[in-house]
Amino acid sequence: MQKDPTRLSTLNWDDLKFFLEVARTRKASSAAKRLGVDYTTVSRRIAALEQALGTLLFEKSRTSGFLLTLEGQRLLGYAESIESTLHMACEQVSGSGMALSGHVRIGCTEGFGSFFVTPQLSHFVDTYPAISVDILPLPHFISLSKREADIVIALERPEHGAYVCCKLCDYRLRLYATPEYLARHRPVETLDDLRQHRFISYVEDLAFSAELLYLNHLIPDAHAPLRSTSVIAQYTAAVQGHGLAILPCFIAAQDARLVEVLPREVEVTRQFWMYCREDLRKLRRIVLVWDYIREATEANEALLNGRQRALHFPTP
């Protein structure tokens, strides 16, 4: 297509919304579902935007879907900036940006999201009923650039991006088993004794972060006949007495069915990082949720590091 600046007068800025959804999902059908329209509407709006700009924004692939061209990649950054500016402008003008109401979506690791963030925020929404919260405890990375979440809690600090980021907390992992499993198998008194035992661990080639692959570092060639991409599945198997598992203390310490094994010899320390987009950080509801999560982790420092077994709830 030949570019013609005069065509910008025919540009429908609403088409950028369709462009962003297709760029993020790579599928017109998925974008249509998120936008509440049909597939043909999405295709028509993308075609109209390309016509107005005089350039091709996507290349279509049967296997990979809609792939951004070089021009599409350039437009993406500008379109996201426009989206953020409009989002902030609408909230500030309407007053909702400073109001104690609205919606917050939190992406986090599966175990921390299920066993810590969810119970903590259930108390938060009782205090602030006008703020609704989505919690996404997923065993994979969550993208802020694709608007999958407003706040992310992750194992690793983001390497780049216009984000506000802080170290949320340290947490420890230890080796756990049921008393019944330990009674049925050889005694564990040293690290060498562990070579005679079965482990429950991660599927190494499917682990979403190298930070999760601690078993081989601690116990090389450990026998792990049962593996899962889910820490909750590993925890469930350990509770059933099917082997030893290295689990976060904030999960296993709360369950009286599990006991620590060689706690002085087997201990791993990891960190959680919390971050959000710069343009959202000043919104009152984001500030409230952000600060409450920080207060909750500070109040539970002993649990996170394996020195207590009970979960505490700060007052929002």
Side-chain angles (χ1 to χ4, degrees), residues 204-227:
E204 292 184 15
D205 58 323
L206 296 179
F208 72 91
S209 172
E211 294 292 317
L212 300 173
L213 303 179
Y214 24 71
L215 179 59
N216 282 345
H217 295 290
L218 292 169
I219 308 161
D221 302 319
H223 177 52
L226 182 59
R227 299 173 184 262

mmCIF file of all heavy atoms in Angstrom, residues 204-227:
data_model
loop_
_atom_site.group_PDB
_atom_site.id
_atom_site.type_symbol
_atom_site.label_atom_id
_atom_site.label_comp_id
_atom_site.label_asym_id
_atom_site.label_seq_id
_atom_site.Cartn_x
_atom_site.Cartn_y
_atom_site.Cartn_z
ATOM 1 N N GLU A 204 10.900 -30.543 34.064
ATOM 2 C CA GLU A 204 11.972 -29.579 33.858
ATOM 3 C C GLU A 204 11.833 -28.785 32.568
ATOM 4 O O GLU A 204 12.002 -27.560 32.558
ATOM 5 C CB GLU A 204 13.325 -30.290 33.891
ATOM 6 C CG GLU A 204 13.681 -30.836 35.268
ATOM 7 C CD GLU A 204 15.066 -31.437 35.299
ATOM 8 O OE1 GLU A 204 15.848 -31.184 34.356
ATOM 9 O OE2 GLU A 204 15.368 -32.160 36.263
ATOM 10 N N ASP A 205 11.528 -29.463 31.457
ATOM 11 C CA ASP A 205 11.497 -28.744 30.180
ATOM 12 C C ASP A 205 10.240 -27.883 30.025
ATOM 13 O O ASP A 205 10.136 -27.120 29.069
ATOM 14 C CB ASP A 205 11.605 -29.721 29.006
ATOM 15 C CG ASP A 205 10.492 -30.758 28.998
ATOM 16 O OD1 ASP A 205 10.095 -31.209 30.088
ATOM 17 O OD2 ASP A 205 10.019 -31.106 27.907
ATOM 18 N N LEU A 206 9.307 -27.986 30.972
ATOM 19 C CA LEU A 206 8.094 -27.171 30.903
ATOM 20 C C LEU A 206 8.015 -26.145 32.033
ATOM 21 O O LEU A 206 7.026 -25.412 32.136
ATOM 22 C CB LEU A 206 6.845 -28.061 30.938
ATOM 23 C CG LEU A 206 6.666 -29.009 29.750
ATOM 24 C CD1 LEU A 206 5.399 -29.848 29.937
ATOM 25 C CD2 LEU A 206 6.592 -28.231 28.428
ATOM 26 N N ALA A 207 9.026 -26.078 32.891
ATOM 27 C CA ALA A 207 9.037 -25.101 33.978
ATOM 28 C C ALA A 207 9.131 -23.697 33.381
ATOM 29 O O ALA A 207 9.976 -23.435 32.519
ATOM 30 C CB ALA A 207 10.202 -25.359 34.919
ATOM 31 N N PHE A 208 8.268 -22.783 33.810
ATOM 32 C CA PHE A 208 8.234 -21.458 33.204
ATOM 33 C C PHE A 208 9.355 -20.552 33.698
ATOM 34 O O PHE A 208 9.566 -19.475 33.153
ATOM 35 C CB PHE A 208 6.873 -20.787 33.425
ATOM 36 C CG PHE A 208 6.608 -20.323 34.843
ATOM 37 C CD1 PHE A 208 6.938 -19.044 35.246
ATOM 38 C CD2 PHE A 208 6.016 -21.177 35.762
ATOM 39 C CE1 PHE A 208 6.691 -18.618 36.537
ATOM 40 C CE2 PHE A 208 5.760 -20.758 37.055
ATOM 41 C CZ PHE A 208 6.103 -19.478 37.445
ATOM 42 N N SER A 209 10.083 -20.978 34.735
ATOM 43 C CA SER A 209 11.205 -20.186 35.233
ATOM 44 C C SER A 209 12.291 -21.117 35.737
ATOM 45 O O SER A 209 12.015 -22.124 36.397
ATOM 46 C CB SER A 209 10.752 -19.258 36.366
ATOM 47 O OG SER A 209 11.866 -18.625 36.979
ATOM 48 N N ALA A 210 13.547 -20.754 35.453
ATOM 49 C CA ALA A 210 14.672 -21.532 35.956
ATOM 50 C C ALA A 210 14.752 -21.474 37.483
ATOM 51 O O ALA A 210 15.380 -22.327 38.107
ATOM 52 C CB ALA A 210 15.979 -21.015 35.345
ATOM 53 N N GLU A 211 14.094 -20.474 38.079
ATOM 54 C CA GLU A 211 14.087 -20.346 39.532
ATOM 55 C C GLU A 211 13.395 -21.532 40.210
ATOM 56 O O GLU A 211 13.537 -21.737 41.416
ATOM 57 C CB GLU A 211 13.382 -19.050 39.940
ATOM 58 C CG GLU A 211 14.103 -17.782 39.510
ATOM 59 C CD GLU A 211 15.422 -17.599 40.245
ATOM 60 O OE1 GLU A 211 15.454 -17.823 41.459
ATOM 61 O OE2 GLU A 211 16.419 -17.265 39.583
ATOM 62 N N LEU A 212 12.628 -22.307 39.438
ATOM 63 C CA LEU A 212 11.886 -23.432 40.012
ATOM 64 C C LEU A 212 12.687 -24.734 40.023
ATOM 65 O O LEU A 212 12.281 -25.698 40.687
ATOM 66 C CB LEU A 212 10.594 -23.655 39.215
ATOM 67 C CG LEU A 212 9.604 -22.483 39.180
ATOM 68 C CD1 LEU A 212 8.470 -22.785 38.213
ATOM 69 C CD2 LEU A 212 9.056 -22.199 40.567
ATOM 70 N N LEU A 213 13.788 -24.766 39.319
ATOM 71 C CA LEU A 213 14.523 -26.020 39.148
ATOM 72 C C LEU A 213 15.590 -26.183 40.228
ATOM 73 O O LEU A 213 16.787 -26.250 39.963
ATOM 74 C CB LEU A 213 15.142 -26.066 37.744
ATOM 75 C CG LEU A 213 14.134 -25.927 36.598
ATOM 76 C CD1 LEU A 213 14.842 -25.949 35.255
ATOM 77 C CD2 LEU A 213 13.090 -27.047 36.665
ATOM 78 N N TYR A 214 15.136 -26.250 41.480
ATOM 79 C CA TYR A 214 16.082 -26.323 42.591
ATOM 80 C C TYR A 214 16.417 -27.748 43.005
ATOM 81 O O TYR A 214 17.412 -27.979 43.676
ATOM 82 C CB TYR A 214 15.544 -25.561 43.814
ATOM 83 C CG TYR A 214 14.049 -25.411 43.874
ATOM 84 C CD1 TYR A 214 13.231 -26.508 44.142
ATOM 85 C CD2 TYR A 214 13.444 -24.175 43.638
ATOM 86 C CE1 TYR A 214 11.869 -26.368 44.185
ATOM 87 C CE2 TYR A 214 12.075 -24.040 43.687
ATOM 88 C CZ TYR A 214 11.293 -25.133 43.954
ATOM 89 O OH TYR A 214 9.921 -25.004 43.990
ATOM 90 N N LEU A 215 15.610 -28.721 42.629
ATOM 91 C CA LEU A 215 15.855 -30.089 43.095
ATOM 92 C C LEU A 215 17.191 -30.617 42.607
ATOM 93 O O LEU A 215 17.979 -31.169 43.390
ATOM 94 C CB LEU A 215 14.726 -31.021 42.655
ATOM 95 C CG LEU A 215 14.881 -32.491 43.079
ATOM 96 C CD1 LEU A 215 14.963 -32.602 44.601
ATOM 97 C CD2 LEU A 215 13.724 -33.330 42.548
ATOM 98 N N ASN A 216 17.495 -30.453 41.317
ATOM 99 C CA ASN A 216 18.752 -30.975 40.774
ATOM 100 C C ASN A 216 19.969 -30.289 41.369
ATOM 101 O O ASN A 216 21.060 -30.866 41.422
ATOM 102 C CB ASN A 216 18.764 -30.839 39.252
ATOM 103 C CG ASN A 216 17.929 -31.919 38.588
ATOM 104 O OD1 ASN A 216 17.575 -32.909 39.217
ATOM 105 N ND2 ASN A 216 17.606 -31.724 37.320
ATOM 106 N N HIS A 217 19.806 -29.027 41.795
ATOM 107 C CA HIS A 217 20.931 -28.328 42.411
ATOM 108 C C HIS A 217 21.202 -28.873 43.813
ATOM 109 O O HIS A 217 22.353 -28.951 44.247
ATOM 110 C CB HIS A 217 20.643 -26.828 42.486
ATOM 111 C CG HIS A 217 20.536 -26.175 41.136
ATOM 112 N ND1 HIS A 217 21.620 -26.000 40.308
ATOM 113 C CD2 HIS A 217 19.475 -25.666 40.473
ATOM 114 C CE1 HIS A 217 21.233 -25.410 39.195
ATOM 115 N NE2 HIS A 217 19.933 -25.197 39.270
ATOM 116 N N LEU A 218 20.128 -29.238 44.509
ATOM 117 C CA LEU A 218 20.289 -29.730 45.878
ATOM 118 C C LEU A 218 20.614 -31.208 45.918
ATOM 119 O O LEU A 218 21.442 -31.657 46.716
ATOM 120 C CB LEU A 218 19.015 -29.464 46.679
ATOM 121 C CG LEU A 218 18.697 -27.993 46.972
ATOM 122 C CD1 LEU A 218 17.292 -27.865 47.537
ATOM 123 C CD2 LEU A 218 19.710 -27.431 47.966
ATOM 124 N N ILE A 219 19.937 -31.976 45.063
ATOM 125 C CA ILE A 219 20.093 -33.438 45.091
ATOM 126 C C ILE A 219 20.248 -33.926 43.644
ATOM 127 O O ILE A 219 19.269 -34.292 42.982
ATOM 128 C CB ILE A 219 18.884 -34.116 45.759
ATOM 129 C CG1 ILE A 219 18.620 -33.464 47.124
ATOM 130 C CG2 ILE A 219 19.107 -35.620 45.913
ATOM 131 C CD1 ILE A 219 17.258 -33.708 47.659
ATOM 132 N N PRO A 220 21.455 -33.871 43.092
ATOM 133 C CA PRO A 220 21.668 -34.298 41.700
ATOM 134 C C PRO A 220 21.198 -35.740 41.478
ATOM 135 O O PRO A 220 21.370 -36.603 42.334
ATOM 136 C CB PRO A 220 23.190 -34.165 41.531
ATOM 137 C CG PRO A 220 23.596 -33.157 42.554
ATOM 138 C CD PRO A 220 22.684 -33.389 43.731
ATOM 139 N N ASP A 221 20.577 -35.956 40.332
ATOM 140 C CA ASP A 221 20.089 -37.288 39.948
ATOM 141 C C ASP A 221 19.044 -37.836 40.911
ATOM 142 O O ASP A 221 18.915 -39.058 41.102
ATOM 143 C CB ASP A 221 21.256 -38.284 39.843
ATOM 144 C CG ASP A 221 22.311 -37.839 38.848
ATOM 145 O OD1 ASP A 221 21.921 -37.330 37.776
ATOM 146 O OD2 ASP A 221 23.503 -37.977 39.150
ATOM 147 N N ALA A 222 18.282 -36.951 41.529
ATOM 148 C CA ALA A 222 17.210 -37.396 42.420
ATOM 149 C C ALA A 222 16.178 -38.198 41.638
ATOM 150 O O ALA A 222 15.856 -37.883 40.489
ATOM 151 C CB ALA A 222 16.544 -36.181 43.072
ATOM 152 N N HIS A 223 15.649 -39.237 42.267
ATOM 153 C CA HIS A 223 14.650 -40.094 41.625
ATOM 154 C C HIS A 223 13.266 -39.456 41.799
ATOM 155 O O HIS A 223 12.743 -39.379 42.917
ATOM 156 C CB HIS A 223 14.671 -41.483 42.269
ATOM 157 C CG HIS A 223 13.638 -42.419 41.728
ATOM 158 N ND1 HIS A 223 13.471 -42.667 40.379
ATOM 159 C CD2 HIS A 223 12.688 -43.174 42.368
ATOM 160 C CE1 HIS A 223 12.486 -43.528 40.204
ATOM 161 N NE2 HIS A 223 11.996 -43.846 41.391
ATOM 162 N N ALA A 224 12.700 -38.955 40.704
ATOM 163 C CA ALA A 224 11.401 -38.268 40.758
ATOM 164 C C ALA A 224 10.452 -38.901 39.743
ATOM 165 O O ALA A 224 10.282 -38.405 38.631
ATOM 166 C CB ALA A 224 11.567 -36.775 40.472
ATOM 167 N N PRO A 225 9.804 -39.997 40.116
ATOM 168 C CA PRO A 225 8.895 -40.667 39.178
ATOM 169 C C PRO A 225 7.597 -39.899 38.940
ATOM 170 O O PRO A 225 6.882 -40.177 37.978
ATOM 171 C CB PRO A 225 8.613 -42.007 39.868
ATOM 172 C CG PRO A 225 8.797 -41.726 41.327
ATOM 173 C CD PRO A 225 9.902 -40.716 41.401
ATOM 174 N N LEU A 226 7.280 -38.951 39.828
ATOM 175 C CA LEU A 226 6.069 -38.158 39.652
ATOM 176 C C LEU A 226 6.456 -36.692 39.523
ATOM 177 O O LEU A 226 7.063 -36.116 40.427
ATOM 178 C CB LEU A 226 5.123 -38.347 40.841
ATOM 179 C CG LEU A 226 3.778 -37.616 40.766
ATOM 180 C CD1 LEU A 226 2.973 -38.050 39.542
ATOM 181 C CD2 LEU A 226 2.978 -37.849 42.039
ATOM 182 N N ARG A 227 6.092 -36.087 38.395
ATOM 183 C CA ARG A 227 6.427 -34.689 38.134
ATOM 184 C C ARG A 227 5.177 -33.939 37.677
ATOM 185 O O ARG A 227 4.269 -34.532 37.105
ATOM 186 C CB ARG A 227 7.519 -34.568 37.058
ATOM 187 C CG ARG A 227 8.837 -35.240 37.431
ATOM 188 C CD ARG A 227 9.816 -35.247 36.259
ATOM 189 N NE ARG A 227 11.040 -35.964 36.589
ATOM 190 C CZ ARG A 227 12.165 -35.377 36.979
ATOM 191 N NH1 ARG A 227 12.207 -34.055 37.068
ATOM 192 N NH2 ARG A 227 13.240 -36.085 37.272
#
